[in-house]
Amino acid sequence: MFYRGAGQRIFAAALGPDAIDKVVAGKSVTTRHRPEGTESSLIAWIANSDLTPDLAKLWDYGGEMYNASCALCHTLPPTGNYLANQWTGNLNR
């Protein structure tokens, strides 16, 4: 799994076995006095057909997930209540 940055649980990419074998590991990263992971790099190609240039579609998907996850037990919290990193854990709960 590639994350946005150290200490952030925002996924940038989930890798399959073929891609994992091509990851070049760098230095270990520590934040707040605990190991967080390893800086790594990967050169890979992805088909344009697997991507979307339509940002509205992505925001719509996020809105659907927000409504489906956050309105089940309580009223929807304002979207500005949490940092991007905090939303991941909140949506998973």
Side-chain angles (χ1 to χ4, degrees):
M1 187 67 68
F2 270 75
Y3 294 91
R4 172 67 182 92
Q8 297 181 351
R9 293 176 295 163
I10 303 167
F11 302 144
L15 307 178
D18 292 339
I20 290 170
D21 291 339
K22 296 175 183 162
V23 170
V24 177
K27 66 177 184 172
S28 293
V29 177
T30 300
T31 60
R32 295 187 186 162
H33 310 292
R34 65 182 181 145
E36 283 291 340
T38 305
E39 287 183 354
S40 302
S41 63
L42 170 69
I43 296 174
W45 294 93
I46 187 167
N48 283 341
S49 60
D50 292 333
L51 302 173
T52 180
D54 188 348
L55 288 179
K57 228 182 213 184
L58 294 174
W59 282 111
D60 288 346
Y61 175 73
E64 288 175 25
M65 197 166 57
Y66 173 66
N67 285 313
S69 298
C70 299
L72 294 175
C73 305
H74 51 77
T75 59
L76 290 172
T79 55
N81 271 15
Y82 304 103
L83 300 172
N85 195 36
Q86 294 170 311
W87 276 111
T88 306
N90 289 334
L91 289 172
N92 287 335
R93 281 194 299 252

XYZ file of all heavy atoms in Angstrom:
710
model
N 0.853 -1.170 0.000
C 0.000 0.000 0.000
C 0.901 1.235 0.000
O 1.835 1.322 0.784
C -0.881 -0.032 1.246
C -1.940 1.026 1.292
S -3.235 0.862 0.067
C -4.067 -0.611 0.603
N 0.620 2.170 -0.878
C 1.304 3.461 -0.866
C 0.354 4.465 -0.233
O -0.823 4.505 -0.582
C 1.645 3.924 -2.296
C 2.985 3.475 -2.778
C 3.214 2.168 -3.162
C 4.034 4.378 -2.861
C 4.447 1.760 -3.616
C 5.281 3.984 -3.319
C 5.484 2.668 -3.693
N 0.866 5.244 0.701
C 0.065 6.251 1.381
C 0.480 7.644 0.926
O 1.565 7.843 0.410
C 0.241 6.144 2.897
C -0.299 4.857 3.453
C 0.513 3.738 3.585
C -1.631 4.747 3.829
C 0.020 2.551 4.080
C -2.127 3.562 4.331
C -1.303 2.471 4.464
O -1.797 1.292 4.955
N -0.380 8.618 1.150
C -0.135 10.002 0.751
C 1.135 10.558 1.387
O 1.882 11.274 0.768
C -1.355 10.856 1.117
C -1.185 12.333 0.945
C -1.047 12.686 -0.532
N -0.837 14.098 -0.694
C 0.367 14.681 -0.743
N 1.457 13.967 -0.632
N 0.469 15.980 -0.900
N 1.373 10.226 2.644
C 2.564 10.708 3.336
C 2.707 10.045 4.680
O 1.807 9.339 5.138
N 3.824 10.267 5.316
C 4.083 9.683 6.628
C 3.024 10.146 7.621
O 2.679 11.316 7.679
C 5.467 10.081 7.120
N 2.495 9.202 8.371
C 1.493 9.526 9.374
C 0.103 9.756 8.811
O -0.810 10.117 9.537
N -0.077 9.526 7.526
C -1.387 9.721 6.895
C -1.906 8.385 6.384
O -1.174 7.625 5.763
C -1.285 10.706 5.739
C -0.872 12.081 6.168
C -0.795 13.039 4.990
O -0.898 12.642 3.842
N -0.608 14.294 5.293
N -3.171 8.133 6.643
C -3.772 6.881 6.187
C -4.555 7.093 4.898
O -5.519 6.400 4.630
C -4.691 6.329 7.272
C -3.925 5.898 8.503
C -4.870 5.448 9.584
N -5.659 6.607 10.004
C -6.776 6.539 10.692
N -7.266 5.403 11.050
N -7.412 7.632 11.043
N -4.153 8.048 4.109
C -4.827 8.334 2.851
C -4.129 7.530 1.762
O -2.973 7.777 1.434
C -4.784 9.843 2.533
C -5.414 10.618 3.690
C -5.463 10.138 1.212
C -5.142 12.100 3.635
N -4.829 6.540 1.223
C -4.223 5.658 0.240
C -3.943 6.383 -1.063
O -4.786 7.104 -1.577
C -5.133 4.475 -0.072
C -5.499 3.655 1.129
C -6.758 3.101 1.226
C -4.603 3.434 2.151
C -7.110 2.341 2.320
C -4.937 2.677 3.257
C -6.200 2.118 3.338
N -2.767 6.170 -1.600
C -2.427 6.681 -2.923
C -2.498 5.550 -3.937
O -2.861 5.768 -5.085
C -1.031 7.302 -2.916
N -2.170 4.334 -3.507
C -2.226 3.185 -4.410
C -2.198 1.888 -3.616
O -1.489 1.774 -2.626
C -1.052 3.210 -5.378
N -2.980 0.925 -4.059
C -2.920 -0.436 -3.531
C -2.243 -1.272 -4.607
O -2.628 -1.217 -5.765
C -4.325 -0.963 -3.245
N -1.219 -2.008 -4.227
C -0.404 -2.722 -5.196
C -0.702 -4.208 -5.204
O -0.914 -4.817 -4.163
C 1.078 -2.516 -4.879
C 1.553 -1.071 -4.739
C 3.033 -1.048 -4.364
C 1.295 -0.290 -6.009
N -0.667 -4.784 -6.392
C -0.775 -6.228 -6.553
C 0.601 -6.862 -6.480
O 1.622 -6.158 -6.430
N 0.657 -8.187 -6.497
C 1.931 -8.892 -6.346
C 2.997 -8.485 -7.367
O 4.169 -8.352 -7.017
C 1.550 -10.362 -6.512
C 0.096 -10.420 -6.188
C -0.469 -9.095 -6.589
N 2.620 -8.299 -8.624
C 3.609 -7.930 -9.645
C 4.230 -6.569 -9.350
O 5.433 -6.373 -9.530
C 2.970 -7.912 -11.040
C 2.570 -9.307 -11.500
O 3.118 -10.288 -10.967
O 1.712 -9.412 -12.393
N 3.415 -5.614 -8.908
C 3.921 -4.270 -8.607
C 4.756 -4.270 -7.333
O 5.776 -3.580 -7.256
C 2.774 -3.280 -8.479
N 4.363 -5.046 -6.349
C 5.092 -5.095 -5.081
C 6.544 -5.520 -5.321
O 7.467 -4.979 -4.724
C 4.392 -6.040 -4.076
C 3.077 -5.414 -3.612
C 5.297 -6.346 -2.883
C 2.198 -6.336 -2.812
N 6.738 -6.453 -6.233
C 8.092 -6.923 -6.532
C 8.968 -5.832 -7.152
O 10.182 -5.957 -7.166
C 8.042 -8.131 -7.474
C 7.461 -9.369 -6.797
O 7.471 -9.424 -5.546
O 6.990 -10.263 -7.518
N 8.367 -4.763 -7.686
C 9.117 -3.704 -8.360
C 9.322 -2.464 -7.485
O 9.905 -1.485 -7.924
C 8.401 -3.318 -9.647
C 8.367 -4.472 -10.636
C 7.555 -4.147 -11.853
C 7.520 -5.379 -12.748
N 6.474 -5.337 -13.712
N 8.848 -2.490 -6.256
C 9.004 -1.353 -5.347
C 10.462 -1.234 -4.919
O 11.105 -2.221 -4.583
C 8.102 -1.512 -4.097
C 8.426 -0.465 -3.043
C 6.640 -1.435 -4.499
N 10.963 -0.020 -4.960
C 12.331 0.264 -4.494
C 12.208 0.942 -3.128
O 11.671 2.047 -3.022
C 13.068 1.181 -5.495
C 14.445 1.530 -4.967
C 13.145 0.519 -6.865
N 12.678 0.253 -2.105
C 12.574 0.768 -0.738
C 13.684 1.775 -0.471
O 14.814 1.602 -0.907
C 12.646 -0.376 0.259
N 13.330 2.825 0.258
C 14.286 3.853 0.651
C 14.502 3.814 2.148
O 14.510 2.751 2.759
N 14.594 4.996 2.742
C 14.874 5.070 4.180
C 13.595 4.889 5.002
O 12.496 5.197 4.553
C 15.533 6.401 4.519
C 14.647 7.605 4.325
C 15.362 8.885 4.747
C 14.394 10.052 4.621
N 14.914 11.265 5.157
N 13.760 4.400 6.215
C 12.635 4.261 7.149
C 12.235 5.639 7.642
O 13.072 6.520 7.803
C 13.020 3.386 8.330
O 13.229 2.064 7.896
N 10.941 5.810 7.891
C 10.410 7.097 8.337
C 9.825 6.928 9.724
O 9.078 5.986 9.981
C 9.315 7.596 7.362
C 8.709 8.886 7.856
C 9.888 7.766 5.966
N 10.172 7.840 10.623
C 9.633 7.833 11.982
C 8.938 9.162 12.229
O 9.469 10.214 11.910
C 10.758 7.652 13.013
O 11.409 6.405 12.745
C 10.220 7.637 14.425
N 7.712 9.104 12.739
C 6.992 10.315 13.132
C 6.499 10.125 14.559
O 6.113 9.030 14.947
C 5.791 10.603 12.210
O 4.892 9.503 12.265
C 6.232 10.829 10.785
N 6.535 11.189 15.297
C 6.103 11.144 16.700
C 6.723 9.980 17.457
O 6.061 9.263 18.195
C 4.583 11.092 16.785
C 3.940 12.340 16.253
C 2.461 12.322 16.498
N 1.866 13.470 15.840
C 0.601 13.581 15.575
N -0.232 12.631 15.912
N 0.116 14.645 14.986
N 7.999 9.748 17.194
C 8.783 8.751 17.925
C 8.305 7.317 17.701
O 8.486 6.459 18.551
C 8.811 9.063 19.421
C 9.186 10.470 19.705
N 10.446 10.959 19.452
C 8.479 11.513 20.183
C 10.500 12.239 19.771
N 9.318 12.604 20.216
N 7.710 7.048 16.556
C 7.355 5.663 16.252
C 7.561 5.416 14.761
O 7.399 6.321 13.944
C 5.922 5.337 16.667
C 4.891 6.106 15.906
C 3.496 5.778 16.404
N 2.577 6.546 15.585
C 1.406 6.145 15.214
N 0.955 4.995 15.603
N 0.648 6.901 14.465
N 7.904 4.202 14.403
C 8.102 3.896 12.985
C 6.799 4.046 12.210
O 5.746 3.634 12.682
C 8.561 2.446 12.986
C 8.954 2.137 14.386
C 8.181 3.078 15.266
N 6.859 4.661 11.061
C 5.664 4.856 10.229
C 5.709 4.053 8.949
O 4.696 3.768 8.364
C 5.497 6.337 9.870
C 4.946 7.172 10.982
C 3.495 6.867 11.311
O 2.767 6.285 10.487
O 3.086 7.208 12.421
N 6.882 3.739 8.470
C 6.976 3.006 7.221
C 8.292 3.292 6.538
O 9.259 3.718 7.168
N 8.304 3.083 5.258
C 9.512 3.249 4.466
C 9.205 4.097 3.247
O 8.224 3.826 2.547
C 10.034 1.866 4.007
O 10.224 1.038 5.144
C 11.333 1.986 3.254
N 10.006 5.116 3.020
C 9.872 5.876 1.780
C 10.195 4.923 0.643
O 11.190 4.199 0.698
C 10.844 7.052 1.758
C 10.453 8.174 2.672
C 11.405 9.364 2.556
O 12.431 9.278 1.858
O 11.103 10.378 3.202
N 9.358 4.886 -0.358
C 9.543 3.944 -1.452
C 9.168 4.588 -2.768
O 8.485 5.609 -2.803
C 8.667 2.710 -1.234
O 8.965 2.096 -0.018
N 9.605 3.971 -3.839
C 9.238 4.454 -5.160
C 8.883 3.274 -6.056
O 9.275 2.131 -5.794
C 10.374 5.271 -5.774
O 11.509 4.461 -5.953
N 8.150 3.592 -7.095
C 7.717 2.574 -8.048
C 7.466 3.253 -9.381
O 6.821 4.310 -9.431
C 6.418 1.910 -7.559
C 5.711 0.985 -8.539
C 6.533 -0.278 -8.759
C 4.326 0.636 -8.028
N 7.998 2.684 -10.421
C 7.675 3.147 -11.769
C 6.739 2.115 -12.359
O 7.046 0.919 -12.399
C 8.944 3.295 -12.632
C 9.836 4.385 -12.042
C 8.571 3.599 -14.079
C 11.176 4.525 -12.729
N 5.555 2.574 -12.760
C 4.544 1.663 -13.291
C 3.730 2.368 -14.365
O 3.715 3.599 -14.442
C 3.626 1.198 -12.161
N 3.075 1.593 -15.166
C 2.193 2.120 -16.208
C 0.774 1.657 -15.910
O 0.558 0.554 -15.417
C 2.619 1.597 -17.583
C 3.954 2.113 -17.990
C 5.168 1.515 -17.795
C 4.219 3.360 -18.620
N 6.167 2.304 -18.272
C 5.615 3.442 -18.792
C 3.426 4.399 -19.061
C 6.223 4.538 -19.388
C 4.036 5.482 -19.659
C 5.410 5.548 -19.818
N -0.173 2.512 -16.190
C -1.580 2.168 -16.015
C -2.337 2.650 -17.244
O -2.036 3.710 -17.801
C -2.162 2.790 -14.721
C -3.569 2.295 -14.469
C -2.095 4.301 -14.745
C -4.091 2.595 -13.086
N -3.283 1.851 -17.680
C -4.052 2.196 -18.879
C -4.964 3.385 -18.587
O -5.559 3.472 -17.506
C -4.883 0.999 -19.323
N -5.057 4.293 -19.529
C -5.956 5.445 -19.378
C -7.390 5.005 -19.119
O -8.137 5.684 -18.425
C -5.910 6.339 -20.611
C -4.668 7.200 -20.645
O -4.019 7.403 -19.626
N -4.325 7.694 -21.807
N -7.767 3.852 -19.646
C -9.140 3.364 -19.462
C -9.430 3.018 -17.999
O -10.580 2.904 -17.606
C -9.393 2.140 -20.347
O -8.484 1.098 -20.003
N -8.384 2.867 -17.184
C -8.557 2.562 -15.760
C -8.612 3.816 -14.893
O -8.712 3.725 -13.677
C -7.417 1.666 -15.272
C -7.473 0.276 -15.895
O -8.580 -0.165 -16.254
O -6.410 -0.349 -16.033
N -8.503 4.979 -15.511
C -8.520 6.257 -14.795
C -9.745 7.063 -15.213
O -10.357 6.793 -16.235
C -7.259 7.064 -15.119
C -5.935 6.377 -14.802
C -4.776 7.206 -15.339
C -5.778 6.163 -13.311
N -10.096 8.048 -14.417
C -11.182 8.942 -14.811
C -10.714 10.395 -14.693
O -10.138 10.775 -13.685
C -12.459 8.745 -13.964
O -13.455 9.656 -14.425
C -12.216 8.969 -12.490
N -10.955 11.171 -15.743
C -10.630 12.594 -15.658
C -11.792 13.397 -15.063
O -11.695 14.595 -14.869
C -10.397 12.977 -17.122
C -11.310 12.062 -17.874
C -11.329 10.772 -17.088
N -12.891 12.701 -14.757
C -14.119 13.349 -14.313
C -14.118 13.511 -12.784
O -14.544 12.614 -12.058
C -15.319 12.523 -14.770
C -16.644 13.214 -14.528
O -16.675 14.233 -13.801
O -17.651 12.728 -15.062
N -13.636 14.660 -12.300
C -13.578 14.888 -10.850
C -14.965 14.898 -10.218
O -15.125 14.480 -9.073
C -12.851 16.197 -10.550
C -11.347 16.174 -10.785
C -10.735 17.551 -10.486
C -10.679 15.130 -9.915
N -15.961 15.358 -10.955
C -17.329 15.375 -10.419
C -17.769 13.955 -10.068
O -18.419 13.737 -9.034
C -18.289 16.003 -11.423
N -17.382 12.972 -10.876
C -17.719 11.575 -10.608
C -17.074 11.105 -9.299
O -17.696 10.405 -8.502
C -17.204 10.704 -11.759
C -18.166 9.725 -12.300
C -17.475 8.921 -13.390
C -18.484 8.551 -14.436
N -17.937 7.704 -15.471
N -15.836 11.512 -9.083
C -15.152 11.136 -7.846
C -15.811 11.777 -6.627
O -15.998 11.129 -5.603
C -13.677 11.541 -7.917
C -12.829 10.800 -8.952
C -11.425 11.398 -9.010
C -12.773 9.320 -8.650
N -16.155 13.055 -6.734
C -16.827 13.741 -5.622
C -18.202 13.130 -5.370
O -18.627 12.992 -4.214
C -16.939 15.234 -5.893
C -15.653 15.952 -5.649
C -14.845 16.521 -6.585
C -15.007 16.170 -4.389
N -13.733 17.077 -5.987
C -13.803 16.876 -4.642
C -15.314 15.838 -3.082
C -12.928 17.251 -3.634
C -14.432 16.217 -2.074
C -13.262 16.916 -2.361
N -18.907 12.742 -6.434
C -20.211 12.091 -6.273
C -20.065 10.771 -5.522
O -20.852 10.453 -4.636
C -20.878 11.852 -7.627
C -21.380 13.123 -8.283
O -21.454 14.171 -7.585
O -21.669 13.090 -9.496
N -19.047 10.021 -5.886
C -18.796 8.747 -5.204
C -18.494 8.985 -3.726
O -19.016 8.291 -2.856
C -17.643 8.001 -5.877
C -17.247 6.739 -5.155
C -18.064 5.609 -5.205
C -16.083 6.683 -4.403
C -17.712 4.457 -4.531
C -15.727 5.530 -3.727
C -16.545 4.422 -3.791
O -16.192 3.281 -3.113
N -17.642 9.975 -3.446
C -17.337 10.311 -2.054
C -18.585 10.728 -1.294
O -18.775 10.365 -0.134
N -19.463 11.491 -1.949
C -20.720 11.915 -1.327
C -21.628 10.738 -1.023
O -22.257 10.675 0.037
N -21.701 9.782 -1.946
C -22.512 8.579 -1.725
C -21.981 7.789 -0.531
O -22.747 7.327 0.314
C -22.495 7.689 -2.968
C -23.286 8.217 -4.130
C -23.119 7.353 -5.369
O -22.805 6.145 -5.225
O -23.304 7.880 -6.473
N -20.650 7.638 -0.469
C -20.030 6.913 0.631
C -20.285 7.631 1.959
O -20.605 7.012 2.967
C -18.519 6.792 0.373
C -17.846 5.747 1.207
S -16.182 5.329 0.644
C -15.351 6.895 0.659
N -20.153 8.954 1.943
C -20.394 9.773 3.131
C -21.835 9.600 3.617
O -22.077 9.334 4.797
C -20.102 11.233 2.773
C -20.450 12.247 3.828
C -19.789 12.287 5.036
C -21.428 13.205 3.576
C -20.095 13.241 5.992
C -21.739 14.164 4.521
C -21.070 14.173 5.728
O -21.379 15.113 6.660
N -22.785 9.728 2.714
C -24.196 9.582 3.097
C -24.521 8.178 3.574
O -25.257 7.995 4.538
C -25.105 9.968 1.938
C -25.171 11.461 1.738
O -25.350 12.212 2.681
N -24.974 11.907 0.514
N -23.975 7.171 2.906
C -24.264 5.788 3.273
C -23.608 5.397 4.592
O -24.166 4.623 5.362
C -23.799 4.849 2.161
N -22.427 5.940 4.866
C -21.686 5.552 6.071
C -22.021 6.413 7.274
O -22.075 5.923 8.392
C -20.182 5.650 5.815
O -19.791 4.779 4.793
N -22.217 7.692 7.061
C -22.300 8.629 8.179
C -23.722 8.998 8.577
O -23.905 9.696 9.560
C -21.520 9.908 7.850
S -19.774 9.598 7.576
N -24.703 8.557 7.836
C -26.078 8.916 8.181
C -26.870 7.710 8.674
O -28.071 7.796 8.850
C -26.777 9.538 6.971
N -26.186 6.605 8.909
C -26.894 5.402 9.355
C -27.356 5.509 10.803
O -28.449 5.099 11.140
C -25.995 4.168 9.196
C -25.638 3.796 7.761
C -24.646 2.638 7.762
C -26.875 3.438 6.975
N -26.498 6.028 11.662
C -26.789 6.038 13.096
C -27.063 7.423 13.664
O -27.546 7.537 14.779
C -25.616 5.431 13.865
S -25.162 3.790 13.300
N -26.697 8.474 12.933
C -26.823 9.831 13.461
C -26.934 10.808 12.299
O -26.812 10.431 11.146
C -25.613 10.179 14.341
C -24.300 9.904 13.670
N -23.763 10.734 12.710
C -23.440 8.880 13.810
C -22.619 10.232 12.286
N -22.394 9.105 12.937
N -27.155 12.061 12.614
C -27.204 13.067 11.548
C -25.805 13.281 10.984
O -24.801 13.016 11.652
C -27.741 14.418 12.074
O -26.884 14.861 13.118
C -29.161 14.281 12.575
N -25.733 13.719 9.754
C -24.444 13.911 9.094
C -23.642 15.028 9.752
O -24.150 16.125 9.942
C -24.654 14.253 7.617
C -25.179 13.121 6.750
C -25.525 13.653 5.360
C -24.167 12.014 6.644
N -22.387 14.752 10.102
C -21.545 15.820 10.630
C -21.113 16.737 9.484
O -21.013 16.288 8.340
C -20.338 15.072 11.210
C -20.284 13.784 10.467
C -21.702 13.460 10.088
N -20.855 17.995 9.761
C -20.349 18.881 8.699
C -19.044 18.332 8.122
O -18.200 17.816 8.860
C -20.113 20.212 9.417
C -20.990 20.153 10.625
C -21.042 18.699 11.018
N -18.881 18.413 6.815
C -17.705 17.826 6.166
C -16.401 18.467 6.623
O -15.354 17.848 6.532
C -17.811 17.922 4.641
O -18.015 19.290 4.275
C -18.970 17.087 4.124
N -16.434 19.683 7.140
C -15.222 20.346 7.605
C -14.833 19.996 9.028
O -13.869 20.538 9.558
N -15.559 19.079 9.667
C -15.280 18.728 11.060
C -13.976 17.959 11.257
O -13.443 17.927 12.350
C -16.407 17.871 11.646
C -17.500 18.712 12.256
O -17.580 19.907 12.022
N -18.359 18.079 13.031
N -13.498 17.275 10.219
C -12.332 16.413 10.351
C -11.324 16.694 9.254
O -11.679 17.138 8.170
C -12.732 14.932 10.279
C -13.777 14.548 11.293
C -15.103 14.385 10.919
C -13.439 14.344 12.620
C -16.070 14.031 11.844
C -14.400 14.002 13.560
C -15.715 13.839 13.154
O -16.658 13.494 14.073
N -10.062 16.362 9.538
C -9.016 16.421 8.520
C -9.172 15.218 7.595
O -9.805 14.220 7.962
C -7.642 16.381 9.185
C -7.324 17.510 10.169
C -6.008 17.233 10.887
C -7.271 18.829 9.432
N -8.584 15.289 6.421
C -8.680 14.184 5.461
C -8.221 12.871 6.088
O -8.843 11.822 5.894
C -7.861 14.500 4.216
N -7.154 12.909 6.858
C -6.631 11.719 7.500
C -7.627 11.140 8.510
O -7.696 9.938 8.697
C -5.308 12.064 8.189
C -4.516 10.841 8.556
O -4.519 9.855 7.835
N -3.828 10.896 9.670
N -8.406 11.975 9.154
C -9.380 11.504 10.151
C -10.608 10.886 9.500
O -11.231 10.011 10.072
C -9.793 12.674 11.049
C -8.651 13.188 11.904
C -9.004 14.478 12.596
O -9.506 15.409 11.962
N -8.711 14.572 13.883
N -10.963 11.354 8.316
C -12.145 10.822 7.657
C -12.009 9.348 7.352
O -12.971 8.592 7.420
C -12.446 11.589 6.368
C -13.237 12.826 6.632
C -12.822 14.108 6.511
C -14.606 12.906 7.072
N -13.825 14.974 6.863
C -14.937 14.266 7.207
C -15.573 11.940 7.385
C -16.194 14.689 7.618
C -16.825 12.383 7.796
C -17.116 13.743 7.905
N -10.810 8.898 7.025
C -10.598 7.484 6.703
C -11.055 6.603 7.853
O -11.823 5.655 7.663
C -9.116 7.224 6.385
O -8.704 8.123 5.359
C -8.885 5.804 5.927
N -10.597 6.894 9.060
C -11.000 6.101 10.219
C -12.480 6.238 10.522
O -13.143 5.277 10.888
N -13.023 7.437 10.367
C -14.447 7.654 10.641
C -15.321 6.871 9.673
O -16.324 6.281 10.069
C -14.788 9.138 10.558
C -14.214 9.922 11.702
O -13.974 9.378 12.777
N -13.957 11.196 11.500
N -14.972 6.862 8.401
C -15.760 6.124 7.417
C -15.661 4.622 7.645
O -16.629 3.893 7.443
C -15.333 6.476 5.995
C -15.716 7.874 5.538
C -15.076 8.191 4.188
C -17.226 8.044 5.452
N -14.494 4.156 8.066
C -14.330 2.723 8.332
C -15.138 2.253 9.529
O -15.585 1.122 9.580
C -12.859 2.375 8.552
C -12.070 2.402 7.269
O -12.632 2.226 6.190
N -10.784 2.614 7.364
N -15.323 3.150 10.514
C -16.111 2.777 11.696
C -17.556 2.726 11.323
O -18.370 2.094 11.797
C -15.910 3.780 12.819
C -14.636 3.573 13.559
C -14.656 4.363 14.840
N -14.792 5.788 14.559
C -13.826 6.691 14.702
N -12.678 6.316 15.150
N -14.017 7.926 14.428
